[in-house]
Amino acid sequence: MDTLNRYRQIVRNLIYEYTKYKPSHGQIETEAIVNTETDHYEVMHVGWDGQRRVHGCVVHIDIIQGKIWIQHDGTNRPVAEELLEAGVPKEDIILGFHPPQVRQYTDFGVAS
């Protein structure tokens, strides 16, 4: 399996794993958004917590130019660590939620 397809499979598995975790309160569904044509992957919370509408991204990952970009990580199980455990090298994981000038100080990739 080539690297891109391997990364797609790893990210898909990770997204579906995160959808197994449901908020402990409210009427909130956890949804997976998986688009392998555009390499866009998200976990969303959608529903109601009492009178408050809940609609937000929990995890957002894109695959861009052969690198896995973590655009948002709202979990208590860091997505980057999960990717490392799945065998993705640090240099292929980009913490997109950090400004480009800060990425060089992380242990991960620095693509701009």
Side-chain angles (χ1 to χ4, degrees):
M1 177 183 305
D2 68 12
T3 301
L4 179 58
N5 284 326
R6 185 171 145 264
Y7 285 179
R8 284 176 174 152
Q9 185 64 45
I10 289 169
V11 171
R12 265 195 315 266
N13 290 346
L14 185 64
I15 291 296
Y16 289 126
E17 184 64 28
Y18 277 103
T19 62
K20 293 178 183 177
Y21 298 96
K22 308 287 184 194
S24 60
H25 49 83
Q27 301 292 319
I28 301 169
E29 296 297 320
T30 304
E31 299 179 351
I33 299 170
V34 174
N35 187 330
T36 54
E37 289 181 24
T38 61
D39 285 321
H40 179 78
Y41 308 85
E42 287 190 50
V43 175
M44 297 285 296
H45 280 168
V46 179
W48 292 91
D49 184 8
Q51 298 296 317
R52 184 178 68 87
R53 178 70 175 155
V54 175
H55 182 268
C57 178
V58 179
V59 175
H60 177 178
I61 300 172
D62 293 320
I63 300 175
I64 303 170
Q65 297 177 345
K67 307 280 186 186
I68 299 176
W69 285 70
I70 303 171
Q71 306 289 15
H72 178 71
D73 183 356
T75 70
N76 60 1
R77 291 178 34 212
V79 173
E81 297 299 323
E82 299 282 338
L83 291 170
L84 288 172
E85 288 178 20
V88 178
K90 285 183 177 187
E91 61 271 13
D92 285 353
I93 300 170
I94 311 300
L95 304 180
F97 51 83
H98 286 312
Q101 66 273 18
V102 172
R103 292 182 199 143
Q104 64 183 320
Y105 303 111
T106 71
D107 287 336
F108 296 95
V110 295
S112 54

